Amino acid sequence: MPHKPIKIVGKTMSDLRIIKDKTANAAMRAVTIIALLFVIVMGWGLYEKSAKILNEIPLWELLTNSVWQPFKNQFGFFPFVMGTIWVTLIAIVIALPLSIFTAIFLTEYARRWVKKIVYPALDILASLPSVIYGVWGTLVIVPWISDWLAPHFVEFSAGYTTLAAGIVLSIMILPLLVSLFVELFSSVSDELRDSAYALGATRWQTANNVVMRKSMPGIFASVVLAVSRALGETIAVLMVCGNLPAAPHSIFDACYPIPALIANNYGEMLSLPMYESALMFAALLLFVVVLVFNLASRLVLRKIEQKQ
């Protein structure tokens, strides 16, 4: 008889734990569904606002036409798409090797006092508003391209170029990439490093053949995150890209990325339904590109992890 209440109490406590576990599971599932609904609602809202221009102008014509004359109902998005691609590629080409080598140095070579200086500096760079990067690009990068670099390759350049936008954007995403890569390289087991050293490998051979190879899925995911950030950057790029609605043919040509187009024109053109619809289509295009890019990267990342 004395043992029965203990059993009842045990069952009660067990039932409470099960109820709490089920409640937490349901709550987290609901939050996840809400997060997915945000994406769906956002995409649907952009599509609804873009329906007017999509009903009047074929999608292929919008994407391949280079003529941008909104007051004549000519909306060619090809220059803006190419400007976005050029700026993003330049930023990644510059930032990726710099961030990888910096992260390798910090994790494999640097002493503690160096890390104490570099880490706060990276945090400061990551926290700066984008407009500061834009001002810095206008005062430093644009004159450097115009007065020193461009004269060796072209007859004239005002400095407000695709290259300037790419350089500014690369500096903006550099702290993010370095922080991600440092976390990845630091998470590699020291046993793997010790095994490589025991076989006679140098620090660079260990970093290149062990640390980086082990971190390859994470490196790929970090690059995807950085590209998604770069695709949507607005103010800093807007201040140095030149804002010329023409497809760039070299890094010394001006460009007009999609985020800059939206930021420059959205508030002023809401009274023109077709123009507003065109700007909403630009936002929808950027939304779809980022979404497809992330989904495709997930598939590639899964295959890389399976091979490893």
Side-chain angles (χ1 to χ4, degrees):
M1 292 297 293
H3 297 286
K4 288 184 179 180
I6 297 175
K7 290 183 179 180
I8 294 174
V9 171
K11 289 183 179 179
T12 304
M13 295 296 294
S14 177
D15 292 340
L16 287 174
R17 287 196 298 267
I18 292 173
I19 293 173
K20 289 181 179 179
D21 184 67
K22 289 183 177 180
T23 303
N25 184 22
M28 289 184 288
R29 184 180 301 174
V31 171
T32 304
I33 293 174
I34 291 173
L36 292 175
L37 286 177
F38 281 148
V39 177
I40 296 173
V41 171
M42 190 180 301
W44 180 255
L46 292 174
Y47 174 77
E48 283 290 317
K49 290 290 186 179
S50 308
K52 184 175 181 61
I53 193 171
L54 290 172
N55 292 333
E56 297 193 15
I57 304 176
L59 177 61
W60 182 250
E61 183 177 345
L62 288 172
L63 296 178
T64 57
N65 187 10
S66 298
V67 180
W68 181 260
Q69 295 181 348
F71 296 102
K72 295 182 180 180
N73 285 340
Q74 294 182 352
F75 299 94
F77 284 88
F78 183 74
F80 308 106
V81 173
M82 293 305 298
T84 303
I85 293 174
W86 272 74
V87 171
T88 304
L89 286 178
I90 292 172
I92 294 299
V93 167
I94 296 174
L96 184 57
L98 289 176
S99 57
I100 287 179
F101 290 142
T102 301
I104 289 176
F105 172 75
L106 291 174
T107 55
E108 306 299 322
Y109 293 90
R111 298 182 179 180
R112 287 187 178 181
W113 67 269
V114 176
K115 296 179 181 179
K116 290 180 179 180
I117 296 174
V118 175
Y119 286 154
L122 291 174
D123 292 338
I124 292 173
L125 283 176
S127 61
L128 288 177
S130 59
V131 67
I132 294 180
Y133 287 97
V135 173
W136 171 78
T138 303
L139 297 177
V140 178
I141 301 300
V142 170
W144 174 72
I145 292 175
S146 176
D147 299 335
W148 296 94
L149 183 62
H152 296 287
F153 300 95
V154 295
E155 293 183 1
F156 173 77
S157 174
Y160 294 92
T161 60
T162 305
L163 178 61
I167 292 174
V168 170
L169 191 57
S170 68
I171 301 301
M172 292 186 67
I173 64 176
L174 184 65
L176 172 64
L177 283 174
V178 172
S179 299
L180 292 173
F181 290 158
V182 166
E183 291 295 330
L184 288 172
F185 298 160
S186 299
S187 64
V188 176
S189 174
D190 290 335
E191 295 178 356
L192 295 176
R193 291 183 174 87
D194 294 337
S195 300
Y197 293 143
L199 294 173
T202 62
R203 284 190 177 184
W204 168 247
Q205 289 174 332
T206 302
N208 186 31
N209 299 320
V210 177
V211 177
M212 287 186 61
R213 183 170 295 181
K214 185 67 175 178
S215 306
M216 193 57 64
I219 292 174
F220 184 80
S222 301
V223 172
V224 170
L225 182 62
V227 170
S228 300
R229 163 89 184 271
L231 285 171
E233 187 52 51
T234 305
I235 299 299
V237 174
L238 182 151
M239 296 175 68
V240 298
C241 67
N243 299 322
L244 180 66
H249 299 288
S250 76
I251 58 176
F252 297 108
D253 291 337
C255 65
Y256 209 162
I258 292 176
L261 169 69
I262 300 171
N264 264 339
N265 299 282
Y266 181 72
E268 301 176 0
M269 299 302 171
L270 294 181
S271 59
L272 302 175
M274 186 63 75
Y275 205 162
E276 180 188 7
S277 182
L279 295 178
M280 290 298 99
F281 173 74
L284 176 64
L285 186 62
L286 195 63
F287 176 85
V288 171
V289 168
V290 172
L291 182 63
V292 172
F293 184 76
N294 278 272
L295 291 176
S297 66
R298 290 291 179 183
L299 296 177
V300 175
L301 184 60
R302 183 175 298 179
K303 290 184 179 180
I304 294 175
E305 290 176 343
Q306 289 176 351
K307 288 182 180 180
Q308 291 189 344

